[in-house]
Amino acid sequence: TAMSVVFGALAALLEHARSGTRAYLMTSLERGLQPYDMGASLQLQLSGELPPTMRALPFLNYHPVQCRDGVWLQLGNLLPHLLGNFFEVAGLRDAAPAEQPTNPLAWDAATLEGFRDAMLARMRERDSADWMRAFVANGGIVAHPYQTTQAALDDPDIVANGHVVEIADPFVGAVRQLGPLASFSQTPARPRAAFVDAARWPPQNRASQSADRIGRLPLTGVTVVEFATIIAAPLGTAFLADLGARVIKVETPEGDPFRGMGGGVGAQRVNGGKESIALDLKSPDARPIVRGLLERADIVVHNFRPGVPERLGIGYADARTANPEVVYVAANGYGALGPGAQRPSTHPIPGAALGGALWQFGGVPAAEFVDNPTLRETARRLLAANEVNPDPNTSMVIAAAAMIGLWAARRHGIGQALQTDMFGANAWANWDDFLAYGGKPERPMPDDGLHGLSALQRLYACSEGWVFFHVTTRSQWRQFAALADHDPDAPTSAALARTFARRSASDWTQLLLSAGIGCTQADARLPGEWYARRSRNMVEVEQPSLGVIKRHGPQVDFVGVPGALRAGPDKGQHSIAIARELGCAEHEIEALQSKGVLVAARRDA
């Protein structure tokens, strides 16, 4: 929600600077949850079935594993070649079936579970540091140790990329804390202590209250060219599309791999409102089209590792030559400057590395060896705890950083390169503990049952179902005690457990919410089901292959401005139209298609 405010407000400021109009923006905590639904709501619409619950064991690509020294590693080998590299280095190649050896989803249950046991046993044969040296040396294996947020302050990639800075705070002295959202090559951020200069408050030059209201989406006329795959960067540019930007997704002739995962519902989520051109960037014949795209781009976003864009002709120098004021956003896993710059990263890695997963888990897992059933259950719980949404967290930071860069370009004529990464973004997602100073209290941890952080911020079992209860003020507590016939001098979890057991979860929710007291039924439905069936922010759109579907509304509404939300495109749906727009003659388009350089959806062909 905070990131939504950042990029929404910056978009409104840009439109105000252009036209003098003012905007009224609206977002909510509910909308802040939207990025975390990566396709469950669409899957429910299409099939009527929900995805597997967190009770299922991890799939092998994203499996947590314990090493000989007791340290747990998070694996993240999502794509087949990454998983194959892991099998090779771990000595597990022969344990995989000969048919579809890097597609565990195709294995039968007995083969899968036998391999899982073999993998868990093999990982216990070497210490974590030994395994990590082997994985890093390979260069194509995704893995990282689980660590706390406090430990992450000293992670070499975090430090090297400027995600932790030291400042002098007037109240607590020296503080190590969060660095900027991104690295800006021409307008670097300057973090300061958290206090307000009274002489400069309130700000001057406020917009006139008589100014006209904004009449169009604020990023109308802005073009974003995206060279990115899977989730983090594509979802970030989708937020810009919802603000009115034209987003052109450049994908390979085979398509973004995300289209082939989970029936493609996640791909619809991250590609909403975009145009798609399928182009072989490795072919010299694609260069004229790439050049035309860069010339039109106000913002370029990619998620390649350092060095790859330059080989493909889409590096910052290429983009800057085409448009000196371009905002060039690089968004990779570990950052560009640390030892992990060339390492691949996927969704669960920053969740494990930045402490969010261990907080949800309830602390660091015990280091001692346990029996195989307990080992399996610990792995299941760790991956479930790691759904602190590392990819969507990164998406929000990418969108906000891109808007900061666009402000500098439009208001001051400064084009520049921006560097964001999954580690830095998820440091922001753990902001409450990503700092260190003398006397800092420890991060509050969940209780032994993982029911909550305190008696007044906790899950409670009711006569039927569960509620989550949260009060923050004395007046709310007194009001609750009167409504619930609870002893006001007993704000303990044991006493509250007895009180909540007297009624059903739905009854408590209705009674307390109507009085403005924080209480909601916690086990009624999964988030995807709630969004598909109940959310007022879902809107109907037409998708070429799927027909009419409901998709999420924008993160930010501009009140009184008609929206223009669209579904995600099919692969190459706009290939020919974009090629024509860039000046390609019909015979050139046909030649590119015959060579497989340009691929169009059938309906576009």
Side-chain angles (χ1 to χ4, degrees), residues 104 106-116 376:
W107 302 353
D108 62 70
T111 300
L112 176 65
E113 296 312 320
F115 186 93
R116 189 192 311 275
R376 284 167 156 253

Side-chain angles (χ1 to χ4, degrees), residues 73 170 198-199 233 237 239 255 262 302 338 374 378 396 497 501 579 596:
L73 302 182
T237 61
F239 299 140
H302 77 78
T374 305
T378 304
M396 303 303 292

Side-chain angles (χ1 to χ4, degrees), residues 461-598:
C462 304
S463 61
E464 181 181 343
W466 288 75
V467 294
F468 188 81
F469 174 66
H470 189 194
V471 300
T472 58
T473 66
R474 289 188 179 90
S475 62
Q476 285 179 339
W477 169 251
R478 288 193 296 268
Q479 186 181 11
F480 163 78
L483 284 171
D485 192 23
H486 182 90
D487 181 356
D489 296 323
T492 65
S493 57
L496 284 165
R498 291 191 294 271
T499 293
F500 278 109
R502 297 199 302 255
R503 300 190 187 195
S504 69
S506 59
D507 286 347
W508 280 119
T509 299
Q510 182 176 358
L511 173 67
L512 299 181
L513 277 185
S514 63
I517 297 170
C519 178
T520 189
Q521 188 163 356
D523 61 344
R525 58 188 64 87
L526 293 175
E529 182 181 7
W530 190 90
Y531 276 115
R533 294 176 174 166
R534 299 289 297 275
S535 176
R536 292 169 294 179
N537 203 37
M538 297 287 281
V539 296
E540 285 191 349
V541 293
E542 181 90 22
Q543 208 285 327
S545 297
L546 301 177
V548 176
I549 59 173
K550 285 186 177 181
R551 56 150 288 179
H552 292 286
Q555 291 301 114
V556 179
D557 262 338
F558 292 84
V559 178
V561 181
L565 298 177
R566 293 176 288 121
D570 287 342
K571 179 194 73 175
Q573 183 177 330
H574 306 90
S575 292
I576 293 177
I578 292 172
R580 288 171 178 160
E581 178 186 340
L582 297 176
C584 291
E586 294 301 315
H587 71 276
E588 293 174 315
I589 293 174
E590 292 174 2
L592 290 171
Q593 287 185 280
S594 67
K595 296 177 181 179
V597 175
L598 182 71

